[in-house]
Amino acid sequence: MDHNPITEFDEGRSLELLATESLGRLITVSGGRADIFPVNYALSTEGRIFFRTAEGSKLAGLTVHPDVVFQVDHIQDEEAWSVVVRGEARRLDSFAEINRAEELDLKPWIPTLKYNFVEITPEQISGRGFTFGEEPEWYTG
């Protein structure tokens, strides 16, 4: 097989791809237990991820354990990609920070009140592209 169906992306390409989507998965760990939450998000020009949330387990978990993983996938026709961001999340507290985050036009998708703005500062970003195809024949030697 001459063609590798998996392509590794550098950080720049991974950020470009993140900017094209608006739904991701937030993975948190609290009390030794992992949780995953779908969130709509916005990406700042500096490469930070922002989302809004209501009070609850997601916000409480971030307060206790700010290390998070954030993943975004995209599938189209014969190709797909996945970007994973490892970073630190924090709730925005100052009016200036919240006002800057509001400039990203981040609105809840469902009719709920989400007063808390959260910022994820990436520490590591990785991405991969995939080309779909048939499974190669197994070597049975």
Side-chain angles (χ1 to χ4, degrees):
M1 181 173 184
D2 295 339
H3 177 261
N4 186 350
I6 302 171
T7 304
E8 299 281 335
F9 298 138
D10 64 17
E11 184 175 308
R13 178 65 177 142
S14 297
L15 285 170
E16 287 174 7
L17 293 170
L18 279 180
T20 67
E21 296 293 322
S22 57
L23 178 66
R25 288 176 296 283
L26 175 73
I27 298 96
T28 64
V29 176
S30 183
R33 182 180 178 137
D35 279 312
I36 187 165
F37 304 94
V39 295
N40 64 300
Y41 71 95
L43 186 69
S44 72
T45 56
E46 298 86 21
R48 293 191 172 137
I49 298 165
F50 292 86
F51 65 92
R52 291 172 56 178
T53 188
E55 301 290 328
S57 59
K58 185 185 332 167
L59 187 61
L62 296 174
T63 304
V64 174
H65 194 280
D67 293 326
V68 297
V69 176
F70 189 78
Q71 180 184 19
V72 176
D73 297 319
H74 179 84
I75 300 172
Q76 184 173 351
D77 301 325
E78 301 297 315
E79 297 181 330
W81 57 259
S82 181
V83 173
V84 175
V85 176
R86 296 178 189 282
E88 188 170 303
R90 69 180 184 92
R91 188 181 81 191
L92 301 182
D93 292 319
S94 78
F95 289 121
E97 290 176 317
I98 293 168
N99 286 337
R100 279 194 300 276
E102 284 183 326
E103 291 175 5
L104 297 172
D105 198 31
L106 184 58
K107 305 283 187 221
W109 284 5
I110 58 174
T112 58
L113 297 175
K114 297 184 177 181
Y115 295 121
N116 300 288
F117 285 79
V118 176
E119 171 191 57
I120 300 174
T121 302
E123 295 170 357
Q124 179 185 11
I125 302 171
S126 61
R128 290 182 176 182
F130 308 98
T131 303
F132 300 144
E134 294 295 320
E135 179 180 27
E137 288 190 33
W138 290 31
Y139 175 75
T140 57

